[in-house]
């Protein structure tokens, strides 16, 4: 994996962290522009994210990824009740870090075969809706992994992105319906507490997913 500093991470515009917004509990999902969605993803989240480096897959191989979410601040959303998790298919790491642009490479895509997750074809993301069962200062992962399926040979310019957005109680029922979250269902993805990774750098805008490629 290529080296890049924390400064470079934060100078890059986070165009890749676009999410979907729900105007009200009873309305349909509407896709935002990258600029608007970037602001929503970063300013409406309690979390910081740990970068993930995965083994180099062969084509059509699934590689499990266990994201880490550290609760670093009080939620900017009044009465948070849920979290919208977003996992992006592979994009150009150079374009993201150097230009702040989102350019799909289509070399691997995120998969989450859980009943509270959906694939959004409009922006090539997998999105999951989970309850806001977290506490300030603690670190969480997911109860089961999110998989990346390699479609071809990955390069050191391939990267996935994952983000989270807090959802208020007033919108909880609407998101739960759209994303298929049912607390009685055994096939839900949920948060589970874990120890913070020692020496890990957690970033407050998004987490990167990269692979141990031959040139990495």
């Amino acid at each position: 994996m290529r080296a890049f500093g924390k400064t470079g991470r934060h100078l890059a515009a986070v165009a890749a962290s676009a999410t979907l917004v729900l105007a009200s509990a009873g309305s349909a999902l509407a896709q935002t522009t990258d600029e608007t969605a970037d602001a929503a993803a970063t300013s409406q989240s309690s979390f910081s994210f740990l970068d993930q480096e995965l083994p180099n897959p062969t084509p059509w191989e699934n590689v499990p990824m266990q994201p880490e979410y550290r609760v670093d601040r009080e939620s900017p959303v009044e009465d948070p009740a849920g979290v919208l998790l977003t996992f992006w298919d592979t994009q150009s790491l150079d374009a993201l870090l150097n230009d702040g642009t989102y350019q799909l490479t289509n070399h691997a895509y995120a998969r989450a075969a859980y009943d509270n997750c959906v694939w959004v074809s409009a922006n090539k993301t997998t999105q999951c809706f989970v309850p806001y069962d977290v506490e300030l200062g603690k670190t969480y992962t997911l109860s089961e992994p999110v998989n990346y399926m390699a479609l071809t040979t990955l390069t050191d310019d391939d990267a996935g992105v994952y983000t989270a957005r807090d959802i208020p109680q007033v919108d909880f029922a609407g998101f739960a319906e759209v994303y298929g979250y049912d607390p009685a269902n055994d096939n839900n993805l949920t948060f589970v507490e874990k120890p913070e990774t020692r020496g890990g750098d957690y970033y407050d805008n998004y987490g990167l997913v990269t692979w141990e490629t031959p040139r990495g």
Side-chain angles (χ1 to χ4, degrees):
M1 175 180 163
R2 68 184 64 202
F4 48 87
K6 187 173 182 179
T7 301
R9 287 284 310 268
H10 290 279
L11 286 176
V14 197
S17 63
T19 58
L20 298 180
V21 264
L22 192 66
S24 67
S27 68
L29 284 170
Q31 187 178 1
T32 67
T33 64
D34 284 348
E35 181 180 1
T36 303
D38 173 30
T42 56
S43 66
Q44 297 181 14
S45 174
S46 309
F47 302 95
S48 297
F49 310 90
L50 183 70
D51 287 352
Q52 308 285 312
E53 186 175 42
L54 306 181
N56 189 24
T58 58
W60 305 109
E61 179 184 1
N62 272 319
V63 181
M65 189 268 287
Q66 284 287 147
E68 286 193 29
Y69 306 84
R70 193 174 68 190
V71 188
D72 280 345
R73 49 199 166 272
E74 296 284 355
S75 178
V77 172
E78 183 177 356
D79 195 16
V83 185
L84 182 62
L85 309 175
T86 301
F87 305 91
W88 289 81
D89 295 356
T90 53
Q91 61 180 290
S92 167
L93 182 61
D94 280 340
L96 174 65
L97 296 183
N98 297 328
D99 304 326
T101 58
Y102 176 58
Q103 298 179 18
L104 282 168
T105 64
N106 297 310
H107 290 167
Y109 66 94
R111 306 177 67 200
Y114 309 104
D115 290 343
N116 56 331
C117 300
V118 300
W119 186 68
V120 182
S121 60
N123 54 14
K124 300 297 182 69
T125 63
T126 291
Q127 299 184 352
C128 307
F129 181 67
V130 302
Y132 190 87
D133 294 332
V134 300
E135 295 181 31
L136 185 65
K138 293 187 177 181
T139 301
Y140 299 85
T141 187
L142 298 178
S143 53
E144 300 291 339
V146 171
N147 291 309
Y148 271 89
M149 165 71 82
L151 302 178
T152 185
T153 302
L154 297 178
T155 74
D156 62 342
D157 188 42
D158 284 311
V161 170
Y162 73 98
T163 64
R165 176 174 165 239
D166 300 357
I167 303 300
Q169 178 64 56
V170 67
D171 290 336
F172 183 90
F175 273 85
E177 181 178 0
V178 169
Y179 287 92
Y181 173 72
D182 178 356
N185 195 328
D186 291 334
N187 193 37
N188 283 328
L189 203 62
T190 59
F191 279 131
V192 292
E193 188 178 349
K194 72 172 299 293
E196 178 181 337
T197 297
R198 295 184 61 181
D201 290 327
Y202 292 80
Y203 298 96
D204 62 2
N205 41 26
Y206 60 90
L208 282 177
V209 182
T210 54
W211 289 266
E212 297 171 345
T213 58
R215 291 179 50 210

